[in-house]
Amino acid sequence: MTNYKEILNPFPLDDKTVFGKVIRCDKIDNKDNEGYYYVVEITLTNKEMISFDEDIYSNDGLLNSITKYALEADDSFRNKIKNSFEKYNLTDDLNWVFDVVSDYKKDNKKILKELKKIYNKFTPYFYEFSAIVEDLDLGEELFNYYHENKYCEFILCDSSQNKKYNEHIIKGNLIFSASPIEVRNKCLVITDNTIPSGYLNRITDKTLFETGHSVINISHRDMLKNLIDKNIPKKIKKIKYTMFNVGQGLCSYVSLNRNYGIFFDVGFTKIKRDTKAFLNKDAFKTRIPKIIILSHWDLDHILGVSYCNKEIYNRIWIAPDINEIKTKDRSISALRLSKYLQLREALNNFGILPSSSAFKKYLFLINNSFDGQTVYKNKNIILHKGYNDERAVNGKKYSNYKNNFGLLLELKNKRNLLLTGDTDYYRMPKSIKSTMFNFLQVPHHGADAGTPKYRPLKRHPKCSKKCSVQCGLAIVSVSEDFNSHNHPKYKEHLKLLERYGYEIHRTDEDGECVINL
């Protein structure tokens, strides 16, 4: 594994200049006390990371160059590889690459096996900052930065050393992840400095993490269906669903006939005090699914990939189109993951031209032509897409558009289950609004997601008597500790579900949830 901490210097010993953009700044009413506070998320990078991303993940970077060299043995690719090896002190680790073509005599399977070992050393990392800001003037300043959609220069320092700065100090959690996930208490100090144009142009370069050719629209639905059908059992007899206790995040695993699996989100907490979640992190490594579905691209729904078996990157990934997220809301970490998945797709088609009928897609970014539509359907599994709609309902906005254009998964056997991600009730597709579900993953960690319409089915579809097993469970994936939105803050949401007949299972209180459908 590449020593990311040494190369990228995410936790400097001394104060350090970093660059960041506020991608979230929510004003939250504090119902326990008077007033309100701001929940802030800042996507970060530094000078080392800017260079590293260009050198490794870009179209002319190390990963693409190694693949092209293995195909063509061109000296121009050789020089790029050599320069990257020397720059990051990787020569001893990867010095065999120049001999791989001649050694294997164009045995594509053997070359591909060795190339995957290299790619596994450069899996994507995450670098983000989150904070609760009670200083209302500072919160308002950050709110303006968010709407201005601009990168700012910050000073990153330890909380114990911030006394030398008089103002503009944001105390929060710095998240760095390249397995393991590390969360440290740090401070960001806003400076009045302008980011040098050379760095700013490189940060905002839209071509670096470009994934446009992975986008599919509704005309590709049959192609996607055929591929999914090949990766799940023809006859599904048993469906086992597990919601892991990952703290303030969401990670679900669906087992089909025991030997076929689907991840629905691979999230993990951003909160250092979620000790139970960190104790459960090894559960990721033991699951190697056929398909990974991301409800959306928020960090708490993708961060757990850092703990997953590297084979997960050779599987089918289905997610909303990250290119449709507004620039001001995009996380660099999420963009880095999507780009890496596209590079793995090219690698898995080693020696096959993208125009060839033999080329297999692995990354499917579902665009807005699917809004409110069914993405995939068979007897037991239905994948839906929510509505990308920012209009208020009854004068109020619930989830934001990044949540609402997400994917929802419906599972049906003797009993049925709906996985909602963070989509609010008003933006769910019409085709499922009238359906009743035995089991419901409560949207958005129990936040105010509108008025639920669902009531639990008390009978199996083919039963004449009441079920002998529990039918009617609403599951909330939520932190054991205080989290930024204090979920499930809106107790009326859970109380209403209880009044409808659901029992509530909270991962913070009840732990992991396992259901056999």
Side-chain angles (χ1 to χ4, degrees):
M1 183 69 188
T2 304
N3 190 339
Y4 277 123
K5 286 177 69 174
E6 182 178 312
I7 293 171
L8 303 178
N9 193 20
F11 302 116
L13 297 177
D14 300 317
D15 294 2
K16 181 176 176 61
T17 298
V18 296
F19 309 121
K21 182 176 66 172
V22 179
I23 58 172
R24 185 174 192 172
C25 191
D26 294 339
K27 196 174 185 179
I28 306 296
D29 291 328
N30 192 343
K31 291 190 175 182
D32 297 328
N33 302 294
E34 293 183 1
Y36 53 88
Y37 56 87
Y38 287 89
V39 174
V40 178
E41 294 182 8
I42 302 174
T43 188
L44 291 177
T45 189
N46 62 28
K47 294 177 182 179
E48 292 92 339
M49 293 176 183
I50 293 169
S51 295
F52 184 82
D53 288 346
E54 292 171 341
D55 292 339
I56 305 301
Y57 300 116
S58 72
N59 290 331
D60 294 325
L62 175 63
L63 296 183
N64 248 339
S65 295
I66 287 176
T67 305
K68 291 175 180 177
Y69 180 80
L71 284 169
E72 304 172 26
D74 187 293
D75 282 344
S76 63
F77 299 127
R78 180 188 181 97
N79 292 333
K80 290 178 182 177
I81 297 166
K82 184 178 179 180
N83 291 338
S84 294
F85 282 4
E86 292 175 351
K87 183 174 181 179
Y88 297 109
N89 297 317
L90 300 172
T91 305
D92 293 339
D93 196 21
L94 303 174
N95 58 9
W96 54 267
V97 72
F98 297 128
D99 301 321
V100 69
V101 176
S102 58
D103 283 352
Y104 291 138
K105 297 179 181 179
K106 289 293 182 179
D107 185 334
N108 282 7
K109 288 185 178 180
K110 288 185 177 180
I111 294 175
L112 179 59
K113 182 179 178 180
E114 297 300 328
L115 288 174
K116 285 181 178 179
K117 291 179 182 178
I118 300 179
Y119 272 71
N120 286 345
K121 297 177 184 293
F122 295 97
T123 52
Y125 62 93
F126 303 84
Y127 196 52
E128 306 284 326
F129 184 86
S130 61
I132 295 172
V133 177
E134 296 180 343
D135 181 329
L136 301 186
D137 290 336
L138 179 58
E140 188 66 28
E141 184 176 0
L142 293 167
F143 186 78
N144 291 334
Y145 286 155
Y146 167 69
H147 282 284
E148 290 170 7
N149 183 29
K150 71 174 184 179
Y151 277 91
C152 305
E153 181 182 287
F154 299 93
I155 300 298
L156 177 66
C157 64
D158 286 333
S159 55
S160 61
Q161 299 173 342
N162 68 58
K163 293 180 181 179
K164 59 185 174 181
Y165 300 104
N166 296 322
E167 54 185 6
H168 302 305
I169 301 169
I170 313 163
K171 298 180 181 179
N173 290 324
L174 181 66
I175 300 108
F176 177 72
S177 148
S179 186
I181 296 168
E182 291 191 51
V183 183
R184 297 193 186 181
N185 296 327
K186 289 283 186 177
C187 290
L188 290 180
V189 182
I190 303 172
T191 75
D192 294 326
N193 299 335
T194 301
I195 299 176
S197 59
Y199 282 112
L200 183 61
N201 292 338
R202 292 162 71 185
I203 296 170
T204 57
D205 180 7
K206 295 182 179 179
T207 64
L208 177 57
F209 298 121
E210 166 60 35
T211 52
H213 67 255
S214 293
V215 177
I216 67 167
N217 58 43
I218 204 163
S219 67
H220 300 108
R221 186 157 49 188
D222 288 343
M223 177 262 291
L224 179 59
K225 176 175 172 53
N226 290 336
L227 189 59
I228 294 176
D229 285 343
K230 291 178 181 178
N231 285 274
I232 60 174
K234 291 183 179 179
K235 291 185 179 180
I236 298 174
K237 296 180 179 180
K238 294 182 179 180
I239 302 178
K240 180 181 177 181
Y241 168 76
T242 304
M243 177 186 281
F244 299 113
N245 179 12
V246 294
Q248 191 63 20
L250 180 62
C251 179
S252 302
Y253 192 80
V254 181
S255 177
L256 306 173
N257 296 354
R258 294 185 179 178
N259 55 348
Y260 289 80
I262 298 172
F263 263 130
F264 183 82
D265 284 340
V266 284
F268 201 77
T269 184
K270 299 179 287 184
I271 302 170
K272 191 175 183 178
R273 296 186 299 272
D274 278 341
T275 53
K276 291 180 181 178
F278 282 95
L279 289 172
N280 295 330
K281 66 182 185 300
D282 290 339
F284 288 87
K285 294 180 182 178
T286 58
R287 271 82 174 179
I288 306 178
K290 298 286 186 180
I291 299 169
I292 301 90
I293 298 171
L294 299 180
S295 66
H296 61 299
W297 290 95
D298 279 358
L299 193 66
D300 60 326
H301 293 252
I302 62 175
L303 185 58
V305 74
S306 300
Y307 289 128
C308 287
N309 187 297
K310 298 299 184 291
E311 189 61 28
I312 196 173
Y313 295 111
N314 301 319
R315 299 298 194 251
I316 295 169
W317 287 71
I318 305 171
D321 181 7
I322 194 170
N323 302 288
E324 290 179 353
I325 298 176
K326 296 174 185 175
T327 305
K328 69 178 183 179
D329 297 324
R330 288 185 188 176
S331 156
I332 299 175
S333 298
L335 289 169
R336 189 179 293 112
L337 173 59
S338 67
K339 178 63 176 183
Y340 181 77
L341 292 172
Q342 191 177 81
L343 289 168
R344 290 297 295 232
E345 178 181 275
L347 175 67
N348 286 324
N349 286 284
F350 180 74
I352 303 171
L353 293 174
S355 58
S356 169
S357 59
F359 189 93
K360 295 180 180 179
K361 287 189 67 63
Y362 288 79
L363 176 60
F364 295 85
L365 299 178
I366 310 299
N367 83 348
N368 60 14
S369 66
F370 281 97
D371 281 4
Q373 302 291 319
T374 299
V375 178
Y376 168 84
K377 182 177 182 179
N378 72 10
K379 180 181 177 182
N380 303 96
I381 302 170
I382 308 176
L383 183 62
H384 307 272
K385 190 172 186 295
Y387 286 98
N388 183 1
D389 189 349
E390 293 190 80
R391 290 175 296 179
V393 178
N394 300 324
K396 184 176 180 180
K397 289 186 178 181
Y398 295 91
S399 294
N400 61 46
Y401 78 98
K402 285 196 299 180
N403 298 337
N404 289 327
F405 86 161
L407 302 178
L408 304 91
L409 186 63
E410 182 180 353
L411 301 170
K412 300 192 297 183
N413 202 20
K414 293 179 180 178
R415 298 177 287 176
N416 62 355
L417 163 70
L418 179 64
L419 303 179
T420 63
D422 284 357
T423 307
D424 73 48
Y425 292 108
Y426 297 116
R427 269 58 179 215
M428 293 181 185
K430 295 178 182 177
S431 57
I432 59 173
K433 283 186 177 180
S434 59
T435 305
M436 297 298 123
F437 292 93
N438 302 109
F439 305 105
L440 173 70
Q441 177 243 309
V442 178
H444 207 179
H445 316 285
D448 188 0
T451 305
K453 302 294 183 183
Y454 301 118
R455 290 167 172 78
L457 288 169
K458 291 297 184 181
R459 301 173 185 270
H460 291 319
K462 297 181 180 179
C463 281
S464 58
K465 297 181 179 180
K466 214 169 192 180
C467 297
S468 59
V469 292
Q470 184 185 38
C471 281
L473 196 67
I475 317 152
V476 192
S477 185
V478 67
S479 171
E480 64 182 304
D481 205 337
F482 178 82
N483 56 72
S484 57
H485 284 82
N486 203 11
H487 295 152
K489 183 176 181 180
Y490 295 92
K491 302 297 190 295
E492 57 268 26
H493 184 173
L494 301 188
K495 286 181 179 179
L496 187 55
L497 289 170
E498 284 182 316
R499 193 156 65 243
Y500 286 169
Y502 284 106
E503 291 189 33
I504 305 298
H505 181 110
R506 293 173 48 153
T507 57
D508 60 334
E509 297 175 353
D510 307 310
E512 178 179 291
C513 182
V514 179
I515 297 169
N516 290 295
L517 298 181

